[in-house]
Amino acid sequence: MNKWQIICPVVAMALAAVVIASVIARKQRRGFIVTASTSIARELIASTNSTHLVRPGPELTTKLGELLSAPTRIASVRLGDVPAPFGDGKAGSTVVLTNDRGFGVAIRLGHRDGSGKFDVLGYQSLKR
């Protein structure tokens, strides 16, 4: 048995392990973003702020206060950004909150790598 008969299968197995590890890490990151975004949405409904947000900003806090004047719920939490012109492809997730009066707000969130914190990249008022 020559050395290439040993090296080639070992290299192939190592390459397969790297690819599998990369796929698993990506799925875990996506799962974290969805879970954290849902938690942010719940906290925003409860208090117009979240421990996962760096700072929501006074305009968004005011908008959430207006939205929460009626019973509010999470309409959707999705990975990725909303289409242009509102979105620019930088958001890791988008949270949409709506109330019983037909008003809502879509909030674009960007994850700060290496932390559990998110930045509000923008928000848009919605009306049914």
Side-chain angles (χ1 to χ4, degrees), residues 85-108:
F86 178 53
D88 59 6
K90 294 181 182 176
S93 64
T94 304
V95 172
V96 179
L97 306 175
T98 58
N99 68 15
D100 288 348
R101 292 186 185 147
F103 295 100
V105 64
I107 306 167
R108 299 172 52 240

Side-chain angles (χ1 to χ4, degrees), residues 58-76:
E59 298 89 12
L60 178 56
T61 302
T62 301
K63 182 60 68 181
L64 288 169
E66 294 169 3
L67 183 70
L68 296 172
S69 65
T72 304
R73 66 188 169 286
I74 301 170
S76 68

Side-chain angles (χ1 to χ4, degrees), residues 104-121:
V105 64
I107 306 167
R108 299 172 52 240
L109 301 172
H111 179 238
R112 288 192 173 193
D113 287 329
S115 74
K117 299 288 185 176
F118 287 75
D119 291 308
V120 174
L121 301 179

Side-chain angles (χ1 to χ4, degrees), residues 11-29:
V11 169
M13 287 188 299
L15 184 60
V18 168
V19 169
I20 290 170
S22 174
V23 168
I24 290 171
R26 183 175 180 189
K27 285 183 179 181
Q28 287 177 340
R29 184 177 191 281

